Amino acid sequence: MNTHRRAATSLALGGLLQAAIGTVFTVAESKDFGAPLFWSAAFSFACAWFAERRSTTS
């Protein structure tokens, strides 16, 4: 497996985990607890997209 593709997979899975935990925290507590995890998940998805793009070009 290509290094960039492996990085994209791990970043996407990390983003899914952060989004799931953020959803639980938002439902259980309030938006103040879940919002940073959603931003972190969005950043992880962006990094995964970039790594996946690099894996197809190299």
Side-chain angles (χ1 to χ4, degrees), residues 1-11 48 51-52 54-56 58:
M1 184 179 257
N2 190 350
T3 305
H4 296 294
R5 187 166 299 241
R6 192 176 3 206
T9 303
S10 64
L11 285 167
E52 181 66 27
R54 282 193 68 178
S55 73
T56 59
S58 58

Side-chain angles (χ1 to χ4, degrees), residues 7-31:
T9 303
S10 64
L11 285 167
L13 289 175
L16 285 173
L17 179 65
Q18 291 167 352
I21 293 172
T23 303
V24 170
F25 280 173
T26 300
V27 170
E29 298 291 330
S30 69
K31 291 179 186 173

